[in-house]
Amino acid sequence: MMKESTITPNPMTRRSFLDKSGKTTLAALAASQMIAPAIVKAAGQNPDKIRLGLVGCGNRGTGAVMDAIRSTPNVELVAMADLFPDKIEKSLSKLRRSQKGKTRAAGAMYGSLQTDWDRMDAIKITPETCFTGFDSCDQLLKTDVDIVILAEPPAFRPRDIRKVLNAGKHVFAEKPVSVDPVGTRIAFDAVELAKQKNLGFMGGTQLRYNPAYVENMRRVHDGQIGDIISLEGYWWDQYYVKAKAFDREPEWSDVEYQIRCWNQFVWLSGDHIVENLVHNIDILNWAMGSVPKSATAQGGHINWEDWKVKGNVYDHFYVEYTYPNGVVGHASSRQNLNCSHRIGERIRGSKGICNPYAGIEGDNPYEFPGPFDNPRLHQWKAFIESIRDGNPLNKGKQVTEASMTAILGRMSAYTGRSMNYDWALQRSQLDTFPKNLEFGPLPVDPLAIPGKTKPV
């Protein structure tokens, strides 16, 4: 394994955050809050308070806080950490105001059906529990938190997962949990560390808690579609074209610009096959009960015109994953404007076809009747209850396997060569994380060219 990368502390500190925050926000942070009687009664039914810490205060991190607090009583947010002060400010602004949920048709299975938020009473943040800079996660771990949510750019997650567990805290890490083989090995080691310490390790692959997926996958494993013949997973969307696509401010260094636009750079996101398609790849692994033995892939970037940020990610991937029993899974991801969308999976068997979000067609037809609950709430409830019961869930292996499977597909597409899972996991020395990370210059690696980009 290659030597772990080091991080140089960022000169931004909590003092600079306080200087920039403004009197209005600080007054709001210190304001007392009233708790509705109904909430007090509900919380009293389970006195085991859960204190959350959030690392990475973007939209997904903020949403994860809302999900955790809404899932079960007596959960509070007590600490926040981010590289940038303005990210904490924006997150707090959202968490401190009531919101009526919006329905999202595309990708509703992931948990965006409805987000009604009125639990401002559970946000127990003070200026003293807000931390910024490259060492902000380390500072947060010194506070009295029970669960740390890691929603920073994916590149930081493997090492932060290890830090959280070493500090004796439970971890909820958004997917993916790694973006390269070296980081994946760190994440797999963390799975074992969590077992040794009896700590919870939950990944953000919430489809495994979607009621429709759970019931349909049970039927697949019971043989209701016969023997699995092939599998398909799709993420055709336009998310990456627009996501984290900011105009560069004059004062931003290369590093700050890339981290703020982290979707657009491979070292931070792993490309969209790792950051998005990992959900669908996880379903293929779930259906098969294993990881694939190899991947053969293609991909590239054919349209830069619509991309505001000219990073180094592809705009399309197609992967054939061959599983140990010879079954082939087909996974594809496309990120283009003005194209048809397709997000989901199909499992084809000798007696029928299963759409895990809908049901089964064939000899044993089945339609999931609902309700189509938000799986994130189910996931958080299960995780928190397991911690309260003293038997914390450790689902780190499955999310790490899914992350590595996605990385394998990217490695094959970038190099134009078939790639063996065991070789990539155990022997590849690919480590995309900068060796010394600090604000300053950071050249962008050129776009991978199949046939010329070499396996590492």
Side-chain angles (χ1 to χ4, degrees):
M1 185 180 297
M2 296 184 68
K3 184 178 179 182
E4 181 184 340
S5 305
T6 58
I7 297 178
T8 304
N10 161 21
M12 284 197 298
T13 63
R14 187 167 59 84
R15 178 178 298 276
S16 65
F17 164 58
L18 296 180
D19 290 342
K20 295 179 180 179
S21 295
K23 296 180 180 179
T24 301
T25 301
L26 294 182
L29 289 175
S32 60
Q33 300 167 337
M34 299 298 293
I35 303 177
I39 298 297
V40 173
K41 182 177 179 181
Q45 295 172 0
N46 193 333
D48 298 325
K49 182 179 293 185
I50 296 293
R51 295 170 291 271
L52 302 175
L54 173 61
V55 179
C57 301
N59 289 333
R60 182 75 290 271
T62 304
V65 168
M66 293 178 174
D67 296 331
I69 290 171
R70 293 170 63 222
S71 70
T72 185
N74 218 6
V75 179
E76 300 175 347
L77 177 68
V78 300
M80 301 176 77
D82 198 283
L83 181 57
F84 305 115
D86 60 282
K87 300 289 286 185
I88 294 179
E89 288 289 300
K90 185 176 180 180
S91 178
L92 274 174
S93 176
K94 188 172 184 179
L95 290 168
R96 291 192 175 280
R97 68 178 187 270
S98 179
Q99 295 159 63
K100 184 66 177 174
K102 298 179 181 179
T103 298
R104 188 179 78 171
M109 69 282 280
Y110 297 94
S112 299
L113 287 171
Q114 200 93 26
T115 304
D116 294 328
W117 176 249
D118 61 357
R119 288 299 317 280
M120 293 78 73
D121 59 282
I123 308 305
K124 306 293 186 181
I125 297 296
T126 69
E128 290 71 32
T129 60
C130 292
F131 307 98
T132 61
F134 282 110
D135 67 342
S136 58
C137 179
D138 304 273
Q139 297 302 314
L140 180 141
L141 291 175
K142 297 175 183 178
T143 67
D144 188 22
V145 297
D146 302 304
I147 302 174
V148 177
I149 300 170
L150 295 179
E152 75 278 66
F156 295 93
R157 290 175 196 158
R159 295 158 184 85
D160 283 351
I161 290 169
R162 183 171 59 190
K163 287 180 183 179
V164 171
L165 295 172
N166 277 326
K169 317 289 187 182
H170 306 284
V171 62
F172 183 102
E174 261 301 336
K175 55 75 208 151
V177 295
S178 57
V179 297
D180 54 42
V182 169
T184 301
R185 293 195 283 268
I186 294 172
F188 272 124
D189 288 344
V191 175
E192 297 305 312
L193 181 62
K195 290 179 183 177
Q196 296 167 15
K197 290 178 167 283
N198 193 35
L199 291 170
F201 180 176
M202 180 64 76
T205 46
Q206 70 271 20
L207 289 180
R208 292 197 182 227
Y209 289 84
N210 185 308
Y213 276 73
V214 171
E215 177 59 23
N216 281 304
M217 200 63 73
R218 181 189 68 79
R219 292 169 180 268
V220 168
H221 290 154
D222 284 348
Q224 293 188 28
I225 65 168
D227 296 330
I228 295 177
I229 297 173
S230 67
L231 311 99
E232 302 159 25
Y234 309 93
W235 194 296
W236 302 353
D237 195 37
Q238 59 184 19
Y239 170 74
Y240 249 64
V241 184
K242 298 180 178 180
K244 312 298 179 187
F246 303 117
D247 290 323
R248 183 167 181 169
E249 298 296 335
E251 66 271 19
W252 289 356
S253 66
D254 290 347
V255 167
E256 178 164 359
Y257 178 61
Q258 290 176 33
I259 292 177
R260 286 188 179 274
C261 300
W262 62 265
N263 291 99
Q264 314 289 335
F265 299 94
V266 176
W267 77 269
L268 284 156
S269 69
D271 213 322
H272 56 90
I273 187 176
V274 179
E275 214 283 319
N276 285 149
L277 191 61
V278 65
H279 278 297
N280 317 95
I281 289 170
D282 181 53
I283 301 305
L284 306 192
N285 287 352
W286 184 13
M288 295 304 301
S290 72
V291 296
K293 65 180 183 180
S294 64
T296 303
Q298 62 177 325
H301 201 123
I302 58 175
N303 173 25
W304 282 111
E305 182 180 347
D306 296 326
W307 291 65
K308 186 175 184 178
V309 177
K310 306 300 190 286
N312 60 352
V313 297
Y314 278 7
D315 64 5
H316 66 281
F317 286 92
Y318 167 76
V319 190
E320 290 183 351
Y321 290 110
T322 301
Y323 285 85
N325 63 356
V327 171
V328 175
H330 307 265
S332 58
S333 181
R334 182 183 69 194
Q335 297 289 331
N336 297 108
L337 298 180
N338 306 314
C339 295
S340 298
H341 291 210
R342 178 184 291 179
I343 301 176
E345 309 81 23
R346 278 198 293 259
I347 306 168
R348 298 180 183 271
S350 58
K351 297 181 180 179
I353 300 173
C354 176
N355 174 344
Y357 190 55
I360 294 172
E361 297 178 355
D363 293 354
N364 301 295
Y366 170 74
E367 182 178 351
F368 183 73
F372 292 89
D373 297 331
N374 187 332
R376 290 180 174 136
L377 300 185
H378 286 281
Q379 183 180 35
W380 269 107
K381 181 178 175 64
F383 189 43
I384 291 172
E385 287 184 350
S386 75
I387 292 169
R388 284 171 169 159
D389 290 341
N391 296 297
L393 290 171
N394 184 345
K395 300 298 184 180
K397 182 174 182 286
Q398 64 193 32
V399 69
T400 306
E401 287 180 340
S403 300
M404 186 61 221
T405 305
I407 292 165
L408 183 74
R410 184 196 71 212
M411 292 172 67
S412 177
Y414 278 9
T415 61
R417 297 174 61 173
S418 296
M419 198 72 60
N420 179 274
Y421 182 96
D422 288 341
W423 178 88
L425 175 60
Q426 298 170 15
R427 298 180 59 188
S428 171
Q429 297 302 304
L430 182 61
D431 183 357
T432 57
F433 201 86
K435 296 298 175 274
N436 293 286
L437 187 60
E438 58 186 356
F439 286 127
L442 184 61
V444 178
D445 289 338
L447 196 72
I449 302 176
K452 294 186 177 181
T453 299
K454 303 297 184 183
V456 178

